[in-house]
Amino acid sequence: VYVTGGGGYVGSKLVPALLEAGYRVTVIDLFIYGIETLAAVHNHPNLTLVTGDLRDEALVRRSIQGVQVVIHLACISNDPSFELDPDLGKSINYDAFKILVNAAKDAGVRRFVYASSSSVYGIKEDPNVTEDLERDPLTDYSKYKALCEDYLAPFSSDDFVTLTLRPATVCGWSPRLRLDLTVNILTNFAIN
């Protein structure tokens, strides 16, 4: 399993779970918040860590060889961060995505799991937002998430199975804790 952003908020919980389940895992991440997010499994024999940038096509193509499953988590992960540098956000969230999908397909990856976002729905009046509703991305972050979904969809086949997840805002504890998320902010305020 090849996990992009494996040192991030979700990845630092997912990678140990995959290793515990018996998978061999390769993580590609810039580790800008430190390699310590994976300290609990850093020396695991089934873990390969690749410190690098998904925009480096040669690195991605080299490190994805022999992989069966890609779980793509890496991105500029919220609207305010994306707005700080929209060109950087696009290059990471969209341009690098295309590199990754093409490299995965060329390498014979069998399954590609993409962590999109529920923000692709925009703001709805409906009491229940379901997959049947029209997407209406309102920010650059959500627009590029939707564009990635559109880019990935035509690649889906019996030998390249794709899955797009649209999680709502993730919350809870992680070795790469994010205190900028609403539930975490409110919990912190309640405790402190």
Side-chain angles (χ1 to χ4, degrees), residues 11 31 37-38 59 101 106 122 159 184 188:
F31 294 106
T37 59
L38 293 174
L59 175 64
V101 171
D106 292 346
D159 57 351
N184 292 358
N188 184 29

Side-chain angles (χ1 to χ4, degrees), residues 148-181:
C148 288
E149 291 181 13
D150 295 342
Y151 187 82
L152 181 61
F155 284 88
S156 190
S157 67
D158 289 343
D159 57 351
F160 190 73
V161 177
T162 64
L163 173 67
T164 296
L165 301 172
R166 294 178 181 151
T169 301
V170 184
C171 63
W173 183 88
S174 164
R176 167 44 190 118
L177 189 59
R178 288 185 53 196
L179 295 174
D180 62 314
L181 302 173

Side-chain angles (χ1 to χ4, degrees), residues 64-65 67-69 103-111 159-160:
I64 205 167
Q65 294 303 311
V67 167
Q68 294 297 306
V69 178
K105 184 76 171 153
D106 292 346
V109 168
R110 302 278 305 155
R111 186 163 182 84
D159 57 351
F160 190 73

Side-chain angles (χ1 to χ4, degrees), residues 8 34-35 41 44 59 64 71 92 100 108 112 116 138 153 192:
I35 197 93
V41 294
H44 196 287
L59 175 64
I64 205 167
I71 301 175
I92 293 171
L100 179 64
F112 193 104
S116 182
L138 301 175
N192 296 308

Side-chain angles (χ1 to χ4, degrees), residues 2 28 52-63 96 99:
Y2 189 85
I28 183 167
D53 193 319
L54 282 176
R55 296 170 295 174
D56 181 343
E57 185 171 355
L59 175 64
V60 170
R61 287 188 174 279
R62 195 169 49 250
S63 61
I99 289 170

